[in-house]
Amino acid sequence: MTSVLRIDDLHARITGREILRGISLEVRSGEVHAVMGPNGSGKSTLSHVLMGHPEYEVTSGSVTIDGTELLGLPTWQRAQAGLFLAMQYPIEVPGVSLEDALEESFAAAGKSRAEVRERLLVEAGRIGFDERFLRRAMNVDLSGGEKKRNETLQLGVLRPRFAVLDEIDSGLDVDALRMVSRRIEAETSENALGVLAITHYNRLLHELKPDVVHVLSGGRIVATGGPELALELERTGYAGYGEAEQQNESRPLVQDPFADPLA
Ligand code: ADP
Ligand code: MG
């Protein structure tokens, strides 16, 4: 069955300041949409608002999966509706192991807890995640790259309908990046996962092939195109799309520290 994640004229603010200023886009099952934009353009805000972070105030617009409105629902209900967020900065959860958390999630959805262990081992193998981490406190003492693999592992076990990936490439070395992006690409064909891949860099999109690329600047989508748009951004940076307005941590597109020197 084809599902649709629809974002319509979404406006949101934090501490009284409007950050998202009318975002509209539609992702269907199996599609990969990249959202690219300079620092401070509102990319993480978009991901938090989609998942229902309580700090952000939605002032208008709607977000639906197959017509069901998500705005106003608590985060866990959005997850049950099929939405998943891989956070830019995954949170450490002392005292709770990844396995515990996923078992609870399965139980809440009426699925068998017993399935979790089996799937975790398969998924850990697929992305080269050390099995010892599965029973340890979630993300505690993991490196940045291990945390990103951990997010990918959860995605593989939970099999959501739509995944929002907020800079899942940051902190990953070349080999880990290849495994993670391949794993997600496989999920789009094996289970028709729809993806909103937020990223600064085209390197994520070498293996995770975007169908559509959006440029976010100043809280608005200022350009939409095919995969060639990501290549153009890699060459020209974001300067041609106007400075992100209202930003305080703006900087020009920096040299990608993880770029493959041979690419
Ligand atoms: P990006 O992910 O594209 O770098 P963000 O969505 O993180 O951008 O930030 C967009 C704007 O919102 C920035 O100006 C940032 O300072 C502001 N912002 C984000 N989160 C908060 C917050 N918790 N409190 C205040 N301002 C915030
Ligand atoms: Mg961000």
Side-chain angles (χ1 to χ4, degrees):
M1 188 192 106
T2 297
S3 288
V4 183
L5 169 66
R6 182 161 185 217
I7 302 170
D8 191 28
D9 197 28
L10 185 61
H11 291 251
R13 54 189 193 186
I14 188 155
T15 57
R17 198 154 66 89
E18 189 170 50
I19 306 294
L20 300 184
R21 300 190 296 154
I23 307 270
S24 299
L25 60 88
E26 211 172 275
V27 183
R28 298 179 163 271
S29 296
E31 286 182 353
V32 176
H33 287 234
V35 174
M36 304 181 74
N39 282 320
S41 56
K43 302 185 300 298
S44 291
T45 299
L46 175 61
S47 73
H48 289 139
V49 167
L50 290 175
M51 211 63 213
H53 191 301
E55 253 188 287
Y56 297 82
E57 183 196 352
V58 174
T59 49
S60 63
S62 91
V63 177
T64 57
I65 291 182
D66 299 337
T68 300
E69 181 63 55
L70 299 187
L71 298 181
L73 295 182
T75 297
W76 68 270
Q77 283 184 350
R78 299 184 195 211
Q80 289 209 332
L83 193 62
F84 175 90
L85 168 64
M87 285 186 283
Q88 181 172 6
Y89 302 108
I91 292 167
E92 298 186 3
V93 190
V96 179
S97 74
L98 179 61
E99 194 170 346
D100 292 340
L102 291 171
E103 280 184 1
E104 288 308 320
S105 168
F106 265 50
K111 292 187 279 187
S112 153
R113 285 169 187 267
E115 228 184 291
V116 169
R117 175 106 198 129
E118 200 180 317
R119 278 212 212 168
L120 264 176
L121 291 174
V122 171
E123 291 298 327
R126 283 181 86 162
I127 57 161
F129 189 76
D130 194 323
E131 283 174 27
R132 283 174 309 162
F133 297 148
L134 302 178
R135 291 240 41 100
R136 280 179 25 191
M138 195 145 88
N139 286 324
V140 174
D141 297 329
L142 298 195
S143 72
E146 284 158 353
K147 287 179 183 173
K148 294 312 177 90
R149 287 197 220 223
N150 193 342
E151 299 284 286
T152 311
L153 197 69
Q154 292 173 46
L155 171 83
V157 172
L158 290 169
R159 293 190 193 149
R161 279 194 278 177
F162 293 98
V164 180
L165 313 172
D166 191 1
E167 305 212 10
I168 195 139
D169 46 343
S170 68
L172 291 177
D173 63 31
V174 175
D175 292 328
L177 176 66
R178 189 176 299 120
M179 276 195 266
V180 162
S181 46
R182 269 189 195 158
R183 178 65 194 91
I184 297 164
E185 173 70 26
E187 197 63 17
T188 65
S189 44
E190 288 170 20
N191 289 312
L193 173 71
V195 177
L196 198 58
I198 293 170
T199 180
H200 225 80
Y201 302 114
N202 186 48
R203 66 197 181 98
L204 174 70
L205 308 173
H206 292 163
E207 309 260 355
L208 179 62
K209 303 273 184 228
D211 299 288
V212 183
V213 175
H214 308 276
V215 182
L216 186 67
S217 179
R220 287 198 179 94
I221 290 176
V222 294
T224 294
E228 72 286 346
L229 185 51
L231 295 171
E232 182 195 316
L233 286 170
E234 190 165 60
R235 281 199 309 275
T236 62
Y238 296 103
Y241 293 94
E243 276 298 310
E245 295 163 47
Q246 310 185 334
Q247 57 186 343
N248 24 14
E249 47 175 10
S250 157
R251 46 182 185 266
L253 186 67
V254 289
Q255 187 98 43
D256 179 355
F258 301 101
D260 183 347
L262 303 174

